Amino acid sequence: MYKSRDMIRFVYILQLVNWQYYVGSTNDITRRLLDHKTWHTTTTKRIPVQQILFQRGYTTKQKARKIEMFLKKQKSRMVIEKFMTNEWKDL
């Protein structure tokens, strides 16, 4: 069993039915994706998830949150797509 300080933190990207991207982070990817698919989050309650496009694990919460916030702040489809295709391996 992992201790909380050893847990992997995930950054994930969803495609919504209106073709927008949703960027998030979590320490429990399975639970979080289920929350999105069952409309237990504010954004995906209004605009349902079409598919899961991307997920990547990080060793620290700080690193995952930094990447999540960077991607959200950019508000750029191009930046998100470059990130998903590994053109930016690390931010």
Side-chain angles (χ1 to χ4, degrees):
M1 177 123 183
Y2 288 108
K3 295 178 183 172
S4 66
R5 70 178 190 276
D6 296 330
M7 290 180 75
I8 294 176
R9 189 77 179 188
F10 293 92
V11 171
Y12 61 94
I13 300 170
L14 308 175
Q15 184 176 12
L16 306 179
V17 294
N18 66 355
W19 298 97
Q20 290 180 324
Y21 292 142
Y22 177 90
V23 177
S25 67
T26 184
N27 63 339
D28 186 343
I29 192 74
T30 304
R31 177 196 49 80
R32 191 66 179 138
L33 294 175
L34 182 61
D35 287 347
H36 284 295
K37 286 184 174 184
T38 56
W39 300 358
H40 287 102
T41 61
T42 304
T43 301
T44 56
K45 185 179 256 186
R46 294 176 308 169
I47 308 167
V49 174
Q50 181 172 330
Q51 64 180 327
I52 301 155
L53 294 177
F54 178 86
Q55 68 184 41
R56 182 181 292 158
Y58 293 92
T59 55
T60 66
K61 179 180 180 178
Q62 293 80 10
K63 182 67 173 175
R65 291 286 292 162
K66 177 183 174 185
I67 292 168
E68 176 192 7
M69 292 296 107
F70 172 81
L71 292 172
K72 285 182 173 181
K73 187 176 180 181
Q74 298 304 305
K75 297 183 189 257
S76 168
R77 189 173 192 88
M78 186 179 71
V79 169
I80 292 171
E81 289 171 353
K82 281 185 178 185
F83 178 75
M84 287 191 293
T85 60
N86 279 331
E87 288 187 42
W88 283 325
K89 292 188 192 243
D90 207 10
L91 298 172

